[in-house]
Amino acid sequence: MKVAVLMGGKSFEREVSLASGKVVCAALEEAGHKVVPLDTNADLVPTLRSERPDVVYNALHGKHGEDGTIQSLLEFLGIPFVGSPASVCHRAWNKDALHSSLAKYRDLTGEDGVASWPQGVLITRDAFKDMGAATALDMVADRVIGGYPVCVKPAHGGSALGIHKVESQEELGEAILDALSYDEAVNIEQWVDGVELSVAVLGTGWDAHALPPVEIVAREGFYDAEARMHEDAVEFFCPVRPASLSPDPAVAEAMRAEIERAALEVYRAYSVRDLGRIDLIWDGGQARCFEVDVSPGMTDRSLFPVACGAAGLSLPAVLDSLVNEAYARGASF
């Protein structure tokens, strides 16, 4: 088939997207498809109408690629695409929506659920700069369970841009301002210590299945934007090392099963389609989920390909399957 691969764009994650797009193009060509790489710009719609691809693969990351913008455009144009529909992407883009999404899902299914999430508060740029919220930062220690340290992060976006571990009120204002340079709102939430994990998921609904969890170990600090840029700053272990969860192999196996169940619960609660990634911290007793990624990175160092490799899946075969499913689904959303 003719597959248009969208990449680049204007988000803060442009360079990562271009790298992902390059890998996706190579994998789809290896699978036998005719690939049309497209750096998204003002000519995107005329080009898509001219090229008439059978399917689009979205390798855009960040704003426009994950917030529902490109998905709603493709829905309008009637072009089948790999990945979640616009409504799902719009909701997943908002990191503050975990609580309401999981609560609604549990009400509908009647399940108690296993996934948890860090508790916190949301502050918008307008409230902080124009309505005096900056004068109330002394309330954060009481509003966030456990007090300091807290995590300050943009309410939307990826690649750990603008994320800070804040140890005291004196550090809070500067961290908020930096996070607001990436987004119009920030989350201030519990800092959760534990084993950092990312769980890639393939499929849709009850047919979705988790791939082996990737354990992320930063040599210093945590897996922030800086660590993601330097290969020697972080180590990945896939699947997660049993000893990282428990010294008892049987207990570690049960904990891994709980982690995968939690990732699938979040994935299904958001109705993610085709593929995604759930990022979480295992705090020793619970999976504390903090992000849903509807457009996982596909670079040589991205976590989704690492998980595919650990599961014995080749990336060309995985992407070929997703493209064929999207084509069979057609332009129905």
Side-chain angles (χ1 to χ4, degrees):
M1 289 183 286
K2 180 188 280 192
V3 183
V5 177
L6 309 186
M7 64 185 85
K10 294 183 177 181
S11 82
F12 292 113
E13 300 173 66
R14 172 178 170 80
E15 295 305 318
V16 178
S17 173
L18 289 171
S20 283
K22 183 178 179 180
V23 172
V24 169
C25 287
L28 289 173
E29 286 175 348
E30 184 177 332
H33 298 285
K34 180 181 180 181
V35 175
V36 181
L38 296 177
D39 189 344
T40 57
N41 53 37
D43 295 324
L44 177 62
V45 170
T47 303
L48 287 172
R49 297 185 73 186
S50 172
E51 290 285 351
R52 300 177 62 84
D54 297 301
V55 177
V56 163
Y57 186 96
N58 171 38
L60 293 166
H61 302 318
K63 190 175 182 180
H64 298 163
E66 299 180 60
D67 62 359
T69 299
I70 198 66
Q71 292 81 7
S72 59
L73 176 61
L74 294 171
E75 290 170 6
F76 167 65
L77 296 173
I79 303 174
F81 61 91
V82 173
S84 296
S87 58
V88 170
C89 296
H90 180 73
R91 189 154 42 96
W93 181 242
N94 179 12
K95 296 175 187 176
D96 198 50
L98 262 173
H99 171 77
S100 59
S101 297
L102 282 170
K104 185 180 296 184
Y105 176 78
R106 291 169 182 174
D107 286 343
L108 288 172
T109 62
E111 297 181 358
D112 292 333
V114 293
S116 181
W117 56 91
Q119 179 270 343
V121 295
L122 177 78
I123 298 178
T124 67
R125 179 188 290 127
D126 288 345
F128 187 77
K129 293 187 173 181
D130 301 330
M131 300 178 187
T135 67
L137 297 185
D138 59 298
M139 297 178 63
V140 166
D142 295 326
R143 294 286 285 112
V144 177
I145 294 175
Y148 292 98
V150 298
C151 178
V152 174
K153 64 185 183 182
H156 312 89
S159 292
L161 293 165
I163 294 182
H164 297 268
K165 181 179 183 180
V166 176
E167 301 283 357
S168 66
Q169 182 181 331
E170 288 70 30
E171 302 173 11
L172 191 56
E174 184 177 351
I176 291 173
L177 285 172
D178 183 64
L180 286 174
S181 70
Y182 294 98
D183 192 36
E184 71 275 6
V186 297
N187 283 343
I188 306 173
E189 62 188 28
Q190 293 170 291
W191 182 268
V192 180
D193 287 312
V195 184
E196 186 165 3
L197 300 160
S198 185
V199 184
V201 181
L202 278 171
T204 303
W206 293 103
D207 292 328
H209 61 280
L211 301 184
V214 181
E215 178 185 354
I216 303 163
V217 181
R219 297 188 189 278
E220 293 183 10
F222 62 99
Y223 189 43
D224 58 6
E226 184 71 17
R228 296 176 189 222
M229 292 174 60
H230 299 94
E231 188 171 339
D232 59 353
V234 64
E235 290 184 278
F236 301 137
F237 300 93
C238 191
V240 55
R241 296 170 296 180
S244 297
L245 302 177
S246 172
D248 184 325
V251 173
E253 184 178 352
M255 287 180 172
R256 173 177 163 179
E258 192 83 347
I259 288 163
E260 292 177 2
R261 284 178 57 207
L264 284 171
E265 180 188 0
V266 174
Y267 188 89
R268 291 172 178 143
Y270 277 85
S271 299
V272 180
R273 186 174 70 187
D274 294 341
L275 78 165
R277 201 188 72 229
I278 310 300
D279 296 334
L280 57 90
I281 300 286
W282 178 256
D283 68 2
Q286 284 185 311
R288 309 294 296 277
C289 301
F290 54 85
E291 185 166 354
V292 181
D293 190 337
V294 296
S295 181
M298 294 291 174
T299 72
D300 294 336
R301 284 183 49 75
S302 293
L303 303 177
F304 193 93
V306 168
C308 287
L313 303 174
S314 76
L315 195 59
V318 168
L319 298 185
D320 177 60
S321 176
L322 292 173
V323 163
N324 280 291
E325 289 173 14
Y327 180 75
R329 183 168 58 232
S332 57
F333 308 104

